Amino acid sequence: MDTALTTVVRDCEATGGLLYVLPPGGSALWLVMTTGAPQEMVAPWRRVALTDPIPVADAVRHRRLVWIGGQEEMARRYPKPALVLPYDFSLAAAPVATGESVWGGLVLLWPSSHGPALSPGEREAVEAGCQHLGRVMQQSAERGDPLLPRGRPRTLPPLPPRIRPVAESRAMTAFVERLPGGSCALDLSGRITFITPAAAGLVAADRSALLGALPWEALPWMDVSHVEDRYRAALVTRRPQVFTVLRPPDTWLTFELYPDSSGISVRILPGRADDGAPEPPSAPATGPGRATVLYHLMHLAATLTEAVGVQDVVDQTADQLLPALDAQAMVLMTADDGRLRIVGHRGYDAAVVDRFDAAPLSPDIPAVRPLTTGEPDFFASFAEMEAAYPGTVHEDGMSAWALLPLIASGRPIGSLLLAYERPHPFPPGERAVLTSLAGLVGQALDRARLYDSKHALAHRLQAALLPHTLPVVDGLEVTARYLPAARGLGIGGDFYDLIRIDRHTVVATIGDVQGHNVDAAALMGQVRTAVHVHAALGAPPGTVLTGTNRLLADLDPGLFTSCLYAHLDLAGRSVRLATAGHPPPLLRHASGRTELLRVPPGLLLGVEPHADYPALEFPLPPGCVLVLYTDGLIEAPGTDFDDAVANLAGLVEAADPTDLDAMADHLVRHVPAPGDDIALLLIRPRPRARPGGGPAPRPR
């Protein structure tokens, strides 16, 4: 396998390669071998899930070659790896397979000097190399050899340099030592393999202590983010880099890095690069350094992970990006039915932004191109924007703009406009970072739109299933409340109902389906309908719950439901209660005393198809109020159930029984820690209205 990987890297003239293995039946790729790239650089991708937004995962999952032609394309298509490696390089990822069997994936790296596409010869070499690797892996598997390493992935050494005659080696050493300043060499892992006495003198350290060490570990003053960042940039892009570091207390040193396939040659010169020291042949990459990029990545990724809806994405994007990027305004946009839709904005006057909301997707609008093509636009001044869009009016007072595509699942779903009060040059490195960050925003926006759609659907479903009004019953005053959960979709399975059987008989029911999702809401509707049907047939409380329980057992929804059934006899002023694992009701007497009506317990609906639900009768004395509720009204972390019920009883006692609306608001207002759904039903028998009297108050 070593020879096969080395061969394909050599034949493709790539600078490095990574070989992944997919275990049989596995859902993740494991890095087993690398060449041309140090372990520390590839560590974030030692394990890659097949669903990860990573080129090699896409290549293996879709069984096709994935080509990334440069930094901006990587930032646009794969923002997360682009943020961790914000450098200009090219990459090809391809599946390693034989017949129908996929054994893993191959990643090949090229420097920034590579053209925008693979040549036919390179493509053939990649395909031939993957076929060869596939045959090698298949043969290893047939022999029973383990494909996965026990420890870290193996790093293949670079090809050995040509052995030079002694005289030539001495001449080369003398040549290096005659150069101004100092010189040293780093291997691919960044360790010093050679250093001249002059270089050791410039860094003020002993040569023996430096050999084999990482510069930023051996020299504490070099442990700054841009030093390792420029080393990584040189290694990945294979282009010269330069940086300046202060050696305490007051000595500035300039380091020039010249990379190739075996390592990096370094020249060290006294003074800053802008103080007369010669510039390297190729200027260093500009834009945010690695530490800044990772800072943006961590904070933006962490906050967007917590984003629930579209407005959360807007707020968190503005909160994180504007101060971090020193931008002054932003607009988040999507397309809907051929028109531009403003999702949210920050830093702009609403009147300016609203003029573009619902505008046709015209190519004359700068924000439309990233949205329709997936390509970013950068304008360092209004003159640049005007040259690209002659009809554009300068009305926002800004001086520079970045228009970035929001990519999700490989397609543009919107665009992000960042605006700057002063002209802004947007160097290549920064363009890639901005495009990557916009990719994270696009993925979060896509999830948020799906969440909002589910949220709206769930609430429409729940609103359709809960009673819009409760029947007006002579001799009975009723008030209801429902509050959705404060977490998740804000929807659950709490339900209530009031069913008039005849002039003297009314049924009240309340229940709670396990869960907070559309399934819970749908099951709630089925349970409420089943209870309603059984009650309308005049069945006693126990029979109603027994029939509903059998229905749930037949449906086998995987969810359980609590339910309290109250059969009120208004003529006899009594109530028969049966419960399926539901909290017991409270009865407030006219004197203020509140008692817990302990009903014989029954199993939750849907647990045991042959469960019984015994009923018990209680009197309803004049002036009393019957309180039915779900556990969201009383539950709080660390609170005992009996104590929670006792607290609720105290609130009921303190409330005015003649105003059920005020009592309901009082109880809901004092919920200890709202997090679950809350359903509440207050029932007060009262003297029947005389003919021509007004109706009882309706619940809210």
Side-chain angles (χ1 to χ4, degrees), residues 61-77:
R61 191 171 63 254
H62 300 299
R63 297 197 65 169
R64 61 176 176 82
L65 187 143
V66 174
W67 168 254
I68 306 297
Q71 186 178 19
E72 288 198 14
E73 186 177 0
M74 177 71 84
R76 189 169 62 251
R77 295 175 57 185

Side-chain angles (χ1 to χ4, degrees), residues 427-665:
E430 185 176 0
R431 293 185 180 204
V433 169
L434 291 176
T435 305
S436 299
L437 292 171
L440 294 180
V441 176
Q443 293 170 7
L445 180 62
D446 197 41
R447 293 192 303 268
R449 292 167 70 185
L450 178 61
Y451 177 92
D452 282 350
S453 298
K454 289 183 176 179
H455 187 270
L457 172 63
H459 275 278
R460 287 198 300 270
L461 174 62
Q462 190 174 45
L465 294 175
L466 285 172
H468 297 287
T469 61
L470 296 178
V472 176
V473 179
D474 188 18
L476 202 67
E477 183 180 352
V478 182
T479 287
R481 293 289 186 273
Y482 177 82
L483 277 74
R487 63 175 184 272
L489 283 174
I491 180 173
D494 285 21
F495 64 92
Y496 61 87
D497 207 350
L498 189 72
I499 308 162
R500 181 167 54 190
I501 306 300
D502 57 36
R503 186 168 180 270
H504 301 289
T505 309
V506 178
V507 167
T509 183
I510 194 166
D512 184 359
V513 178
Q514 174 190 26
H516 294 84
N517 51 36
V518 175
D519 292 339
L523 184 60
M524 174 266 284
Q526 292 173 312
V527 172
R528 178 171 168 258
T529 300
V531 171
H532 203 118
V533 169
H534 285 295
L537 295 174
T543 303
V544 172
L545 293 184
T546 298
T548 305
N549 179 56
R550 288 175 182 165
L551 172 66
L552 260 65
D554 291 340
L555 293 174
D556 190 22
L559 299 174
F560 303 131
T561 305
S562 73
C563 184
L564 178 72
Y565 188 92
H567 183 97
L568 291 95
D569 180 358
L570 302 183
R573 304 192 67 84
S574 66
V575 59
R576 286 182 61 81
L577 298 171
T579 181
H582 197 82
L586 295 171
L587 185 67
R588 185 193 191 280
H589 293 266
S591 64
R593 180 178 66 88
T594 300
E595 67 172 313
L596 187 67
L597 302 184
R598 298 190 180 276
V599 187
L603 289 175
L604 292 168
L605 301 177
V607 174
E608 166 55 50
H610 304 294
D612 292 324
Y613 297 94
L616 195 61
E617 186 170 338
F618 297 89
L620 295 175
C624 71
V625 177
L626 184 64
V627 181
L628 312 183
Y629 56 93
T630 56
D631 55 12
L633 189 68
I634 59 172
E635 282 187 342
T639 302
D640 180 77
F641 177 80
D642 291 336
D643 292 339
V645 174
N647 292 336
L648 176 62
L651 294 172
V652 172
E653 289 178 0
D656 181 4
T658 64
D659 188 344
L660 292 190
D661 278 334
M663 177 184 282
D665 292 340

Side-chain angles (χ1 to χ4, degrees), residues 287-319:
R290 177 171 175 268
T292 303
V293 169
L294 291 178
Y295 177 85
H296 292 176
L297 170 65
M298 287 187 297
H299 283 266
L300 185 63
T303 53
L304 290 180
T305 299
E306 299 297 323
V308 175
V310 170
Q311 190 57 49
D312 276 351
V313 173
V314 173
D315 293 340
Q316 293 176 14
T317 299
D319 291 343

Side-chain angles (χ1 to χ4, degrees), residues 169-235:
S169 298
R170 289 174 178 171
M172 289 177 60
T173 302
F175 167 77
V176 170
E177 292 184 349
R178 284 193 296 269
L179 292 174
S183 301
C184 70
L186 308 178
D187 63 16
L188 294 178
S189 64
R191 298 188 180 276
I192 299 173
T193 58
F194 166 80
I195 186 166
T196 63
L202 285 171
V203 300
D206 185 79
R207 290 180 66 194
S208 61
L210 295 174
L211 289 173
L214 295 170
W216 43 87
E217 291 182 355
L219 304 168
W221 48 271
M222 290 192 73
D223 188 17
V224 290
S225 60
H226 69 279
V227 171
E228 187 177 357
D229 178 59
R230 290 303 94 198
Y231 153 73
R232 288 173 178 263
L235 199 62

